[in-house]
Amino acid sequence: MLYLVRMDVTIPHDLPAERAAEIKAREKAYAQQLQRDGRWRHLWRVVGEYANVSVFDVESNDALHTLLSELPLFPYMRLQVTPLAQHPSALA
């Protein structure tokens, strides 16, 4: 199943810079792992914001929830999830 996910990140200003850097490094490694295994199909930055839009390909709502909740930045994210379906006019 495909899902469009918008992620808006708000890191607290009082989080120590070293801790924030460590979390971001773990986030990058995990995101790249998910991209390599095909579950994170697209990752696009939203210009001018600390946000992205992404397409995930996972087997279920529960699988997506688990994947997202394991993101190191998850505690600092606001997520908007949209399930996707093939459009009848799309080229296959």
Side-chain angles (χ1 to χ4, degrees):
M1 297 178 66
L2 296 177
Y3 298 88
L4 177 69
V5 180
R6 180 180 169 116
M7 301 178 206
D8 292 274
V9 181
T10 305
I11 296 176
H13 297 292
D14 60 349
L15 188 68
E18 307 82 37
R19 176 75 177 130
E22 183 269 329
I23 293 169
K24 290 176 187 178
R26 288 190 299 117
E27 179 85 9
K28 182 176 181 176
Y30 183 51
Q32 290 179 344
Q33 172 194 334
L34 294 169
Q35 289 172 73
R36 284 186 195 97
D37 73 24
R39 290 182 286 170
W40 199 325
R41 301 260 302 261
H42 297 279
L43 173 56
W44 297 94
R45 174 179 290 170
V46 177
V47 175
E49 299 179 37
Y50 195 173
N52 74 73
V53 290
S54 297
V55 175
F56 290 89
D57 188 357
V58 295
E59 61 275 3
S60 67
N61 295 339
D62 289 334
L64 180 65
H65 179 79
T66 298
L67 181 153
L68 294 173
S69 65
E70 291 175 353
L71 290 167
L73 284 170
F74 180 77
Y76 312 109
M77 289 182 178
R78 185 181 47 136
L79 301 169
Q80 179 181 347
V81 177
T82 305
L84 302 173
Q86 182 74 32
H87 192 284
S89 298
L91 296 174

